[in-house]
Amino acid sequence: MKIATWNVNSIRTRQEQVLGWLQTNPVDILCLQETKVTDQQFPRVPFEDLGYHLSISGQKAYNGVAIFSRQPLEDVTVGFAAILDPNTVQTFDEQKRVIAGTLDGIRIINLYVPNGASVGSEKYIYKLSWLKLLKEYLQKTLEQTPNICVCGDFNIALEDRDIHDPKGRENHIMASEAERQALTEILDLGLADAFRKFNTESGQFSWWDYRAASFPRNKGWRIDHHYLSSSLYDKAKSCIIDKTPRTLEKPSDHTPVIVEL
DNA sequence: ATGGCTAACCCGGTTAGA
């Protein structure tokens, strides 16, 4: 089974690129982030015509996640409230960042982790609070389902080798100690980075800033991940970053990452 | 160098991304 994750930065703007990519890369599962569209306005038909089932959770202008699957998913849920106390997480679920579904006994959890704006800002505090809830959400999920694949745009580079230029990173969003600590605590539940099973080199990224010619200079970050529970991690066959879509005209600033289980 | 680039929104300037 191939599971891809791709922050498309607007599904309506990227519709043709996503369709083209799926024709060349007919993955079993495609997890999308930053669809930036309400469910009513989501361009479902072209993807359904390609043979995909769509599970979507979006909102106007911001955020939004979706899972495309060749086979229908079971037990699709959106938001933290599917697992956690709705009264506690209600305000967090207003931002559409979490969708999950099951295929062949594997629980696939697709995430768009908050960006955090800048270290110490209100949005940064929100990001850390969100990650704390994510830990509880995944802990309870693992109690129900041992086989999980948690993927998406984490907006965190866990190690310096995941950043083109790590100097000064302690005050940089996506690399600060508190963010890394929050993610490490989540991984300590029993999850491991599929990409690093196969590739230990630096210089391999999934996101490049639109500005300052970051992509041609390969000044990027690796912030899009697949985290697998132990039995899936042991079985993983490959995990690759496909830079091709980032070379196109009007690309997303992220590019797809694909794990094969 | 707090720049630079892109997208949505409501209509050219703001908010957000990372």
Side-chain angles (χ1 to χ4, degrees):
Chain A
M1 186 195 301
K2 284 189 178 178
I3 303 173
T5 181
W6 190 4
N7 179 323
V8 289
N9 186 16
S10 170
I11 187 62
R12 286 177 292 179
T13 298
R14 232 61 68 193
Q15 177 179 321
E16 293 307 318
Q17 292 188 17
V18 176
L19 282 169
W21 189 81
L22 283 172
Q23 282 165 344
T24 313
N25 304 272
V27 292
D28 301 281
I29 303 268
L30 175 58
C31 295
L32 301 172
Q33 304 88 35
E34 282 207 274
T35 52
K36 292 186 170 179
V37 67
T38 60
D39 295 350
Q40 292 73 24
Q41 292 183 288
F42 197 103
R44 301 186 72 106
V45 174
F47 299 104
E48 288 170 343
D49 286 349
L50 253 190
Y52 282 93
H53 299 262
L54 274 55
S55 305
I56 62 180
S57 177
Q59 65 185 93
K60 189 163 101 174
Y62 305 116
N63 309 311
V65 285
I67 306 178
F68 295 176
S69 56
R70 289 229 158 259
Q71 301 300 321
L73 297 180
E74 302 152 34
D75 305 320
V76 173
T77 65
V78 300
F80 286 137
I83 300 276
L84 303 178
D85 173 21
N87 295 319
T88 309
V89 301
Q90 193 170 17
T91 57
F92 286 88
D93 279 346
E94 288 169 8
Q95 298 185 18
K96 305 307 180 191
R97 299 177 175 278
V98 180
I99 188 167
T102 301
L103 183 65
D104 293 346
I106 300 170
R107 188 79 180 151
I108 295 136
I109 298 145
N110 176 24
L111 304 174
Y112 175 46
V113 177
N115 166 289
S118 59
V119 173
S121 68
E122 200 171 307
K123 287 179 181 172
Y124 179 79
I125 304 301
Y126 180 90
K127 182 179 192 174
L128 295 177
S129 304
W130 195 95
L131 288 166
K132 195 174 174 189
L133 287 180
L134 177 62
K135 182 185 174 186
E136 294 176 27
Y137 174 92
L138 293 176
Q139 187 160 21
K140 293 198 171 175
T141 301
L142 278 164
E143 288 167 9
Q144 298 168 6
T145 331
N147 294 330
I148 74 171
C149 170
V150 189
C151 62
D153 176 2
F154 282 76
N155 275 318
I156 298 175
L158 200 53
E159 301 175 301
D160 285 355
R161 62 180 163 164
D162 300 322
I163 310 173
H164 67 89
D165 180 8
K167 77 169 183 290
R169 61 125 184 118
E170 50 281 339
N171 288 316
H172 199 298
I173 201 67
M174 305 191 289
S176 72
E177 205 51 48
E179 290 168 83
R180 287 183 172 184
Q181 181 60 33
L183 181 52
T184 299
E185 284 179 24
I186 288 166
L187 302 186
D188 285 347
L189 295 171
L191 298 165
D193 183 348
F195 185 78
R196 288 303 183 200
K197 175 176 177 179
F198 304 100
N199 197 319
T200 60
E201 299 294 310
S202 61
Q204 304 191 90
F205 309 125
S206 63
W207 171 82
W208 297 262
D209 199 306
Y210 283 124
R211 300 164 292 188
S214 297
F215 182 66
R217 297 194 292 162
N218 198 31
K219 290 184 172 294
W221 293 59
R222 196 175 70 87
I223 54 176
D224 300 272
H225 308 296
H226 297 82
Y227 291 117
L228 306 176
S229 54
S230 57
S231 56
L232 288 182
Y233 182 83
D234 292 342
K235 281 185 266 189
K237 296 189 185 95
S238 71
C239 185
I240 61 127
I241 297 170
D242 181 5
K243 287 168 76 170
T244 311
R246 192 64 178 76
T247 68
L248 302 176
E249 288 286 314
K250 282 180 68 96
S252 169
D253 43 356
H254 297 251
T255 211
V257 186
I258 310 100
V259 69
E260 183 171 8
L261 303 175

